[in-house]
Amino acid sequence: MDISIGFYGATQFVTGSCFLLNIRGTKILIDCGMFQGLEHDKNYIKFPFDPKDISYLILTHSHVDHCGRIPLLVRKGFKGKIICTKPTSQIAKIMLLDAAKVMREHYKTLYRKSLRKGLDLPPPPLYDEYDVVESFNYFKILVAYDTPLLLENNIKITFKDAGHILGSAFVEIEDLEIHKKIIFSGDLGNKNRPIIRDFAYPSSTDFLCIETTYGDRNHKSFEESKQELLEAILDTFDRGGNVLIPSFALERAQEIIYILREFYEEGKLPRCHVFLDSPLAIKATRIFKDNPEFYDEETFHIFVKKDPFDFPYLIFTEDVEESKGINNVKSGAIIIAGNGMLTGGRILHHLKNNLWRPECSLVFVGFQPKGTLGRHIVDGAQKVHIFGEEIPVRTKVYTINGFSSHAGQNELLEWISHVDKVKKLFLIHGEREKMEIFKKVLEEKFKNKFEEIYIPSFEEEITLA
Ligand SMILES: [Zn+2]
Ligand SMILES: [Zn+2]
């Protein structure tokens, strides 16, 4: 057995990305993400390998579903080298610290509740801030795109731009001894978005693992979505209310600021206050400012002249008192706060203050998974519970779909059209039904490109060569 692969996450579901490649005895982990939503309990399953044996961890990007279990891996004995781009390393660190904090607070709440109700105590958090800081010691190799790196045992790796979030990559791994190549797509981006470049294309390969998050459909265009956002803002200000935008701290928040700056410069945005009310999003924005070499051409040209993430109406509210002060603003404010799915964070305070006011708007710019408060409101809930209080939903609710940072079906097809014959194509990072749809499309569109298209199961191990 010369090359084998273990699928230890993001199989027939989206979260927990984790793949173990064994190339002639050298063990390389690709991502070590947290399981989220319905898969959350899998975080407590023992790693099906010994973390001590891993030589390298290749990190494709800094989303928690790709990096979220790194501190746990280190706690369990990982002593290898983490390889990623500079922004990935910087953003992963703030995301992991935030994850530890959220887990600690969540645990405290659950613990008290269980004691009160005489229930079984919750499992302790996966790791704490000390584990996170300890894991920083292993972020040892920062790579640039398109720059091959030789690892031990004659293995070559190349990071290429995945166009998904700042610093995101897909990775090509080549065994120079037996001349076999495998590519991991990481998460691929939606094209024509601001700030970052569109994805690069893969070279020919023997094996390929491709994400299929949106393998079943296409997104609305970005331009159309921008227009929808502008209309929502103008309409709300006409009604004399505030605009609430729940947003992920990373990428989406920076995109919204970037777009609002454009509206401002084009004279389309009336005088208003734009609050970025999320310490994590503020930190992420600083990292964006620090990495102009990862911008697309347009953003870079702006950067040469000025800050692409600033304009006179923008206010960063980092501390809690400033954040509370926003409560006094009854109209003419755009409030961007986390988290994006309304399952926690400062956005809940703003909802409590604004959700019952018909002159205000709640604008969703990201996907709302089943079971979240965000989804509940999108589905038309008349009233919701926030901090134990029943609040009627009277705001106007907008759902804008075109801001996705994931490739839609057409983009996945375009990306994959660039490889020649592939021995085995693995579909990962998607829900089973979507994978089946995508598989059918691939079979119809590319008759002889793939010898086999395979959907691996959780913890399945396969010998490649
Ligand atoms: Zn991602
Ligand atoms: Zn992902």
Side-chain angles (χ1 to χ4, degrees):
M1 182 181 74
D2 286 316
I3 304 184
S4 66
I5 178 171
F7 294 89
Y8 301 132
T11 50
Q12 303 178 29
F13 49 86
V14 174
T15 64
S17 273
C18 186
F19 312 96
L20 179 63
L21 202 56
N22 186 340
I23 301 184
R24 293 175 288 102
T26 299
K27 291 185 179 168
I28 304 172
L29 206 59
I30 293 88
D31 292 339
C32 192
M34 197 178 284
F35 296 100
Q36 296 165 308
L38 297 173
E39 311 296 332
H40 181 264
D41 288 349
K42 290 194 172 72
N43 287 315
Y44 292 92
I45 301 176
K46 197 169 166 271
F47 284 113
F49 48 83
D50 189 345
K52 284 190 208 76
D53 296 342
I54 310 288
S55 301
Y56 303 99
L57 165 55
I58 290 174
L59 181 57
T60 61
H61 67 290
S62 53
H63 273 147
V64 172
D65 65 312
H66 294 257
C67 71
R69 278 186 299 158
I70 289 176
L72 185 65
L73 190 76
V74 170
R75 193 191 242 192
K76 299 291 180 196
F78 173 80
K79 292 271 183 280
K81 295 184 171 92
I82 300 174
I83 310 172
C84 61
T85 64
K86 177 175 146 234
T88 296
S89 146
Q90 291 176 320
I91 302 169
K93 289 172 184 175
I94 61 166
M95 298 298 275
L96 291 173
L97 279 172
D98 186 70
K101 185 173 146 233
V102 170
M103 281 192 290
R104 175 165 48 77
E105 283 166 1
H106 186 63
Y107 173 71
K108 269 204 291 200
T109 314
L110 274 184
Y111 188 89
R112 280 195 300 262
K113 205 168 168 183
S114 309
L115 274 187
R116 261 199 322 271
K117 298 194 168 173
L119 300 169
D120 288 344
L121 294 180
L126 287 178
Y127 50 83
D128 58 27
E129 280 96 333
Y130 293 98
D131 297 309
V132 174
V133 174
E134 172 65 18
S135 75
F136 292 174
N137 291 320
Y138 297 90
F139 283 80
K140 286 204 169 128
I141 305 178
L142 298 184
V143 286
Y145 295 135
D146 308 309
T147 310
L149 181 72
L150 197 61
L151 307 183
E152 68 180 41
N153 208 3
N154 230 353
I155 299 163
K156 185 174 95 174
I157 63 165
T158 311
F159 276 55
K160 292 189 172 175
D161 199 335
H164 170 56
I165 59 170
L166 196 77
S168 67
F170 66 89
V171 60
E172 306 194 341
I173 306 174
E174 208 174 337
D175 182 340
L176 299 178
E177 212 111 303
I178 56 168
H179 303 287
K180 288 276 178 276
K181 196 199 259 181
I182 180 165
I183 298 178
F184 289 86
S185 74
D187 288 359
L188 294 169
N190 194 357
K191 291 179 80 174
N192 300 317
R193 279 159 52 240
I195 309 171
I196 57 170
R197 290 185 282 263
D198 288 349
F199 52 62
Y201 294 112
S203 58
S204 57
T205 183
D206 302 286
F207 308 101
L208 175 57
C209 293
I210 185 169
E211 66 116 330
T212 53
T213 319
Y214 290 103
D216 62 330
R217 65 180 126 153
N218 286 304
H219 305 299
K220 262 196 199 169
S221 87
F222 194 85
E223 280 308 311
E224 227 175 303
S225 301
K226 250 170 83 171
Q227 202 48 41
E228 283 176 40
L229 176 63
L230 182 62
E231 278 159 22
I233 293 168
L234 296 180
D235 184 49
T236 314
F237 287 173
D238 278 347
R239 300 197 312 269
N242 293 327
V243 180
L244 266 55
I245 306 181
S247 168
F248 296 111
L250 172 56
E251 200 73 29
R252 191 64 37 81
Q254 291 76 34
E255 277 178 5
I256 298 294
I257 292 173
Y258 186 98
I259 294 167
L260 293 177
R261 178 191 51 78
E262 282 184 335
F263 290 160
Y264 165 79
E265 285 169 1
E266 291 159 5
K268 293 174 182 164
L269 189 65
R271 211 179 164 74
C272 64
H273 296 299
V274 177
F275 296 103
L276 181 61
D277 189 31
S278 157
L280 186 60
I282 293 170
K283 282 189 196 120
T285 306
R286 291 199 185 112
I287 295 174
F288 272 62
K289 294 182 189 207
D290 190 34
N291 284 283
E293 67 272 38
F294 287 84
Y295 297 165
D296 62 10
E297 211 174 318
E298 191 190 331
T299 310
F300 189 79
H301 280 304
I302 295 166
F303 164 79
V304 172
K305 286 175 264 168
K306 61 185 176 216
D307 184 348
F309 305 100
D310 198 15
F311 59 103
Y313 302 167
L314 180 65
I315 302 161
F316 286 0
T317 47
E318 205 152 2
D319 72 56
V320 179
E321 287 312 309
E322 285 173 332
S323 172
K324 282 181 183 163
I326 300 173
N327 293 346
N328 302 322
V329 186
K330 298 299 176 212
S331 64
I334 299 172
I335 306 165
I336 307 163
N339 70 31
M341 301 174 294
L342 313 185
T343 51
R346 289 185 180 177
I347 190 72
L348 294 180
H349 296 275
H350 301 301
L351 284 177
K352 199 176 147 193
N353 288 316
N354 292 286
L355 203 56
W356 51 275
R357 301 175 58 212
E359 63 273 30
C360 293
S361 294
L362 177 57
V363 182
F364 289 104
V365 290
F367 180 68
Q368 303 300 311
K370 273 184 199 153
T372 60
L373 177 61
R375 179 62 167 265
H376 201 46
I377 295 176
V378 168
D379 287 346
Q382 297 291 309
K383 48 190 178 230
V384 295
H385 282 88
I386 296 171
F387 302 127
E389 213 178 294
E390 190 179 275
I391 315 271
V393 182
R394 297 205 193 100
T395 52
K396 198 161 172 182
V397 177
Y398 293 85
T399 313
I400 302 181
N401 289 320
F403 290 132
S404 178
S405 51
H406 273 278
Q409 190 189 71
N410 283 342
E411 284 145 336
L412 291 174
L413 292 173
E414 192 205 322
W415 187 78
I416 210 166
S417 72
H418 285 255
V419 294
D420 306 328
K421 272 187 147 325
V422 173
K423 258 197 203 73
K424 207 159 179 169
L425 174 70
F426 297 100
L427 305 187
I428 52 167
H429 198 291
E431 289 156 10
R432 176 93 202 187
E433 314 82 72
K434 297 182 182 181
M435 288 180 170
E436 297 288 358
I437 292 169
F438 189 56
K439 187 172 176 221
K440 236 181 224 135
V441 176
L442 285 172
E443 283 163 348
E444 279 162 20
K445 219 173 150 67
F446 306 108
K447 288 257 156 2
N448 297 313
K449 202 186 263 290
F450 311 108
E451 270 176 41
E452 188 185 357
I453 303 177
Y454 188 74
I455 300 178
S457 316
F458 183 54
E459 297 202 340
E460 189 170 349
E461 289 157 12
I462 294 172
T463 301
L464 297 181

